[in-house]
């Protein structure tokens, strides 16, 4: 028996018990006649004491050799600790060691295994197995486990069935690039790793499995960000014989359940916002509604004077930043420099200070009088003490720029509180999205999304105006889930493929199996997929997903711990009938 108790378990009630513990040496303090060792496992710390008067001499000598991260087993008696530590659950006791067994020695770690470590991110990723020993990472992985357990509990209680779908599938045009896998037994042919189990879960609905879910790995070969990895995990769900309202109710319930069970937070309202309103009021389709700063469109009150910058703009739009009228000119200049950064791309910014005495001071006083600026304040909802920030330009670009500024100001003002949760449904997305480079439309979600009832005829006359029977669940400015009611008949799906530029032959080659299945009695169905990594991070008060993944990739998509991706040898390439043309 390696241990009778774990290192977070023993209390004063265990005094005088003989126990066996195992774990890693966190630190050792040698005073010559007495040695204290902090022993750690994933449950906590226990202090060990080796005493010249009470500890066998051989054990005492062995204790002097212990280094950080040695793996040891000890047996001893639980005694009352002379100097108690109220910050430690085991702080009332220590173990007087009578036996010590070194299970494995350890090299000195490249960084300290402490909550606040001296290791940089790349170094810690290289030695991720050591990083996992630190409480912040360990606790994040345990937290993820709790979330997934609650997801399974909730969905199972709602009669969902967990079904696994294949990882080796056919490459399909779903938006991002596929990771492809060469087939040795089928020369010159390739599998793809799934970007989602989309078609399989629809086929499960055809098969009569009317409530399906899966916590599943998905793969997208796309550029990475702090909240994106090449392999990620979805809570993938599908239901048959449902309308949009049924799905929204079920997954409101799941989100409410998680917030209650994981965070102890009760959330009653899940507001619903049209996609068009989200873009108009917040400049993006995943608005953070924990704070205000809604957009005010100023064209009518700003394009009547001889200010060419505004007069030539498609959209003039502003936000009122609460309490920021106190900003100095130097601080405002820094803000203007911030919006001019390539990541934001604005050419400049006009500002108006709303003074406490009811007057206004702006960077365009030469063109606009106090009455004009008062109208700006009215449109943006600015109050005395606020700063109005105004951008102008092409509608889509300027909305994205102002959205970035809104989020930055909220961050600076401490308005994005991690322990405050504001869920939101965004509904009625456009069915199609115009690619400005090619001039062609593509599916905003995926080709299986159903148009809103009665709108399919508009695909021939005004495709950009057709709305999708689609919905996204947003939490604190992050899309945590999205889905749609699916097309479930062959004729409608064929029309959709046609408008996405597929020939009949291409549609049959790519999705003939799904079209065939629709001819055997496909029920109306729809679903939703949560991004588990992002959901867990937000519930954990973070927006970066990396610490909630056991072995993440870096920003270049590399696993620096195992050094992957890596070349493969010529013999493997020959078996796969592949030749690499490397310069």
């Amino acid at each position: 028996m390696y241990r009778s108790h774990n290192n977070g378990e023993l209390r004063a009630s265990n005094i005088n018990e003989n126990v066996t513990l195992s774990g890693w040496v966190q630190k050792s303090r040698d005073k010559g006649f007495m040695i204290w060792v902090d022993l750690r496992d994933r449950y906590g710390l226990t202090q060990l004491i080796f005493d010249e008067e009470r500890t066998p001499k051989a054990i005492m000598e062995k204790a002097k050799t212990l280094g950080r991260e040695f793996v040891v087993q000890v047996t001893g008696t639980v005694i009352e600790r002379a100097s108690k530590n109220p910050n430690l659950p085991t702080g009332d006791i220590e173990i007087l060691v009578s036996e010590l067994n070194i299970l494995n020695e350890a090299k000195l770690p490249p960084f300290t295994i402490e909550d606040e470590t001296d290791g940089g991110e790349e170094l810690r990723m290289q030695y991720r197995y050591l990083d996992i020993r630190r409480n912040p990472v360990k606790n994040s992985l345990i937290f993820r486990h709790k979330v997934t357990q609650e997801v399974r509990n909730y969905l199972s209680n709602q009669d969902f069935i967990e079904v696994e779908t294949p990882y080796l599938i056919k490459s399909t045009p779903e938006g991002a690039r596929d990771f492809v896998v060469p087939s040795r037994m089928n020369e010159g042919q390739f599998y793809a790793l799934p970007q989602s189990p989309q078609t399989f879960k629809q086929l499960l609905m055809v098969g009569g499995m009317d409530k399906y879910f899966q916590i599943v790995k998905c793969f997208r070969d796309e550029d990475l960000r702090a909240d994106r990895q090449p392999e990620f995990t979805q809570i993938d769900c599908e239901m048959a014989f449902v309308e949009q309202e049924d799905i929204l109710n079920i997954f409101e319930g799941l989100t409410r359940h998680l917030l209650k069970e994981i965070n102890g937070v009760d959330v009653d309202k899940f507001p619903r916002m049209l996609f068009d309103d989200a873009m108009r009021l917040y400049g993006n389709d995943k608005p953070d509604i924990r704070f205000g700063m809604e957009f005010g469109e100023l064209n009518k009150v700003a394009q009547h004077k001889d200010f060419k910058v505004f007069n030539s703009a498609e959209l003039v739009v502003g936000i009122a930043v609460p309490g920021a009228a106190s900003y100095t000119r130097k601080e405002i200049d820094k803000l203007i420099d911030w919006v001019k950064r390539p990541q934001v791309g604005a050419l400049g910014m006009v500002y108006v200070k709303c003074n406490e005495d009811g007057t206004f001071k702006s960077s365009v006083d030469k063109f606009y009088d106090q009455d004009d600026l008062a109208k700006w304040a009215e449109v943006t909802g600015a109050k005395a003490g606020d700063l109005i920030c105004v951008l102008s330009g092409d509608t889509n670009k300027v909305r994205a720029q102002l959205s970035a500024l809104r989020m930055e100001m909220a961050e600076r003002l401490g308005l994005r509180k991690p322990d405050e949760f504001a869920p939101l449904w965004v509904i009625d997305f456009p069915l199609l999205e115009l690619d400005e480079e090619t001039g062609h439309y593509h599916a905003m979600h995926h080709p299986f999304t159903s148009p809103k009832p009665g709108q399919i005829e508009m695909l021939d006359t005004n495709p950009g105006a057709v709305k999708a029977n689609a919905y996204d669940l947003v939490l604190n400015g992050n899309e945590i889930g999205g889905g749609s009611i699916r097309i479930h008949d062959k004729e409608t799906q064929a029309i959709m493929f046609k408008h996405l530029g597929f020939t009949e032959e291409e549609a049959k080659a790519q999705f003939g199996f799904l079209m065939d299945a629709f001819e055997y009695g496909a029920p109306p169905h729809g679903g939703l997929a949560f991004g588990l990594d992002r959901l867990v991070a937000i519930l954990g008060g973070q927006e970066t997903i990396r610490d909630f993944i056991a072995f993440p990739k870096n920003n270049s998509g590399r696993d620096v711990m195992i050094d992957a991706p890596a070349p493969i040898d010529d013999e493997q390439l020959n078996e796969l009938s592949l030749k690499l043309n490397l310069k």
Side-chain angles (χ1 to χ4, degrees):
M1 182 176 69
Y2 279 110
R3 56 186 177 185
S4 59
H5 298 76
N6 64 53
N7 285 311
E9 187 175 352
L10 298 170
R11 301 291 187 270
S13 58
N14 300 105
I15 287 174
N16 295 325
E17 289 183 18
N18 200 54
V19 299
T20 300
L21 302 178
S22 292
W24 289 264
V25 173
Q26 176 78 17
K27 62 176 65 171
S28 178
R29 301 177 297 282
D30 187 348
K31 298 298 184 184
F33 62 92
M34 196 171 286
I35 301 170
W36 290 274
V37 172
D38 290 339
L39 191 66
R40 183 193 72 243
D41 59 15
R42 82 170 171 92
Y43 304 97
L45 287 174
T46 303
Q47 181 168 283
L48 313 177
I49 183 170
F50 300 83
D51 182 347
E52 267 188 357
E53 295 184 1
R54 296 176 289 177
T55 303
K57 185 176 180 181
I59 301 300
M60 195 73 182
E61 289 304 313
K62 192 184 287 189
K64 290 179 181 292
T65 69
L66 296 178
R68 281 181 177 268
E69 302 307 310
F70 276 39
V71 185
V72 303
Q73 177 193 42
V74 298
T75 297
T77 305
V78 181
I79 62 175
E80 186 174 3
R81 190 162 162 172
S83 180
K84 295 182 172 58
N85 183 349
N87 299 318
L88 200 64
T90 59
D92 288 341
I93 59 95
E94 57 191 0
I95 310 302
L96 180 61
V97 178
S98 56
E99 295 179 34
L100 169 62
N101 182 18
I102 297 176
L103 301 174
N104 214 333
E105 296 183 358
K107 292 168 61 176
L108 186 68
F111 54 87
T112 54
I113 313 297
E114 301 277 0
D115 290 3
E116 299 295 330
T117 183
D118 54 358
E121 188 170 330
E122 197 76 3
L123 181 65
R124 289 187 289 109
M125 288 183 71
Q126 184 180 349
Y127 295 93
R128 184 64 167 180
Y129 46 86
L130 297 179
D131 202 28
I132 290 172
R133 296 180 189 175
R134 295 192 311 116
N135 283 326
V137 182
K138 175 200 73 177
N139 291 339
S140 292
L141 296 180
I142 294 171
F143 184 83
R144 182 189 179 108
H145 162 74
K146 290 178 180 177
V147 173
T148 56
Q149 288 299 97
E150 290 300 335
V151 168
R152 283 193 164 95
N153 291 342
Y154 175 87
L155 292 174
S156 296
N157 288 335
Q158 295 289 331
D159 294 329
F160 282 77
I161 303 299
E162 187 166 10
V163 182
E164 293 182 52
T165 54
Y167 278 171
L168 294 175
I169 66 167
K170 188 176 187 178
S171 182
T172 59
E174 279 199 54
R177 296 182 186 89
D178 286 327
F179 282 101
V180 294
V181 181
S183 170
R184 180 181 59 82
M185 292 182 289
N186 299 276
E187 185 176 330
Q189 296 187 317
F190 296 81
Y191 298 105
L193 300 179
Q195 295 183 37
S196 81
Q198 181 62 45
T199 52
F200 288 101
K201 65 182 180 179
Q202 290 190 247
L203 292 170
L204 285 169
M205 296 304 103
V206 178
M209 303 294 289
D210 68 332
K211 288 184 176 181
Y212 140 95
F213 85 99
Q214 184 180 188
I215 297 178
V216 59
K217 280 284 187 189
C218 301
F219 307 86
R220 290 179 186 170
D221 187 7
E222 57 187 358
D223 296 336
L224 307 181
R225 300 190 305 248
D227 62 344
R228 181 182 286 168
Q229 289 272 304
E231 53 181 317
F232 58 96
T233 306
Q234 284 187 180
I235 308 166
D236 199 61
C237 308
E238 197 80 2
M239 302 167 68
F241 302 109
V242 289
E243 297 176 335
Q244 177 175 293
E245 193 66 24
D246 302 307
I247 292 175
L248 267 54
N249 287 336
I250 282 285
F251 295 106
E252 270 187 28
L254 173 57
T255 309
R256 192 176 281 115
H257 174 81
L258 292 175
L259 287 168
K260 178 66 176 175
E261 296 300 319
I262 301 297
N263 298 88
V265 172
D266 287 304
V267 177
D268 294 327
K269 295 181 179 178
F270 282 64
R272 298 182 186 184
M273 184 180 296
L274 299 177
F275 169 87
D276 290 343
D277 289 340
M279 299 303 294
R280 178 176 57 84
L281 293 172
Y282 300 99
N284 70 66
D285 58 6
K286 48 181 185 296
D288 191 335
I289 59 171
R290 286 174 293 180
F291 54 93
M293 288 195 272
E294 292 182 356
F295 290 10
E297 297 189 352
L298 299 167
N299 292 48
K300 290 182 180 179
V301 294
Q303 290 184 323
H304 64 292
K305 295 290 180 76
D306 191 24
F307 185 51
K308 293 180 181 178
V309 173
F310 284 178
N311 291 344
S312 63
E314 187 178 4
L315 177 65
V316 183
V317 63
I319 55 171
V321 181
S326 60
Y327 273 31
T328 65
R329 179 57 190 268
K330 187 176 181 180
E331 288 174 315
I332 292 174
D333 284 345
K334 285 184 177 179
L335 203 55
I336 294 171
D337 289 340
W338 189 90
V339 300
K340 286 182 174 180
R341 297 180 316 143
Q343 299 94 317
V344 180
L347 297 177
M349 184 186 86
V350 168
Y351 69 87
V352 182
K353 288 187 175 186
C354 303
N355 298 322
E356 295 291 350
D357 63 4
T359 62
F360 303 94
K361 176 63 181 171
S362 83
S363 55
V364 286
D365 282 344
K366 178 180 176 182
F367 299 96
Y368 297 96
D369 59 29
Q370 293 290 298
D371 288 341
D372 292 323
L373 300 178
K375 290 174 182 174
W376 294 18
E378 183 181 350
V379 172
T380 59
K383 299 178 176 59
D386 292 354
L387 178 72
I388 304 173
C389 299
V390 183
L391 301 179
S392 62
D394 295 340
T395 297
N396 291 340
K397 288 182 180 178
V398 78
R399 280 176 172 169
Q401 292 160 0
L402 192 61
S403 175
L405 177 61
R406 176 180 180 268
M407 296 296 278
E408 175 67 16
M409 296 311 298
E411 197 71 48
R412 294 185 186 190
L413 295 170
L415 301 176
R416 304 191 70 202
K417 299 171 183 173
D419 57 350
E420 184 180 335
F421 298 95
L424 166 76
W425 287 107
V426 178
I427 59 175
D428 289 7
F429 282 77
L431 181 68
L432 304 175
E433 198 170 26
L434 184 65
D435 187 323
E436 293 182 1
E437 290 186 10
T438 65
H440 297 304
Y441 282 99
H442 60 84
M444 181 171 259
H445 282 80
H446 53 60
F448 318 109
T449 298
S450 172
K452 297 291 279 189
Q455 293 196 9
I456 193 165
E457 294 80 7
M458 291 168 57
L459 284 171
D460 288 319
T461 56
N462 191 5
V466 179
K467 298 298 183 185
N469 218 337
Y471 33 82
D472 278 359
L473 182 56
V474 176
L475 184 62
N476 295 1
N478 292 272
E479 177 203 332
I480 60 167
S484 65
I485 298 298
R486 324 300 187 189
I487 297 169
H488 68 278
D489 65 277
K490 183 175 181 178
E491 291 74 20
T492 305
Q493 188 64 72
I495 292 170
M496 186 66 177
F497 284 144
K498 172 189 159 190
H499 284 279
L500 291 173
F502 287 84
T503 65
E504 277 190 43
E505 294 74 19
E506 288 170 337
K508 185 171 180 59
Q510 290 279 358
F511 301 108
F513 63 94
L514 184 64
M515 305 279 273
D516 290 345
F518 284 170
E519 294 189 291
Y520 289 91
H525 59 281
L528 178 142
F530 284 85
L532 178 65
D533 310 300
R534 191 177 303 170
L535 173 63
V536 170
I538 295 169
L539 294 177
Q542 305 290 326
E543 292 203 12
T544 302
I545 64 175
R546 198 169 283 160
D547 276 353
F548 294 88
I549 298 173
F551 300 102
K553 307 290 190 291
N554 69 6
N555 287 341
S556 301
R558 292 196 65 81
D559 186 323
V560 294
M561 182 183 67
I562 63 172
D563 194 24
I568 59 175
D569 61 38
D570 290 342
E571 186 177 342
Q572 283 179 288
L573 289 173
N574 289 334
E575 280 188 338
L576 296 169
S577 303
L578 293 176
K579 291 182 180 179
L580 298 184
N581 295 317
L582 299 177
K583 292 182 179 179

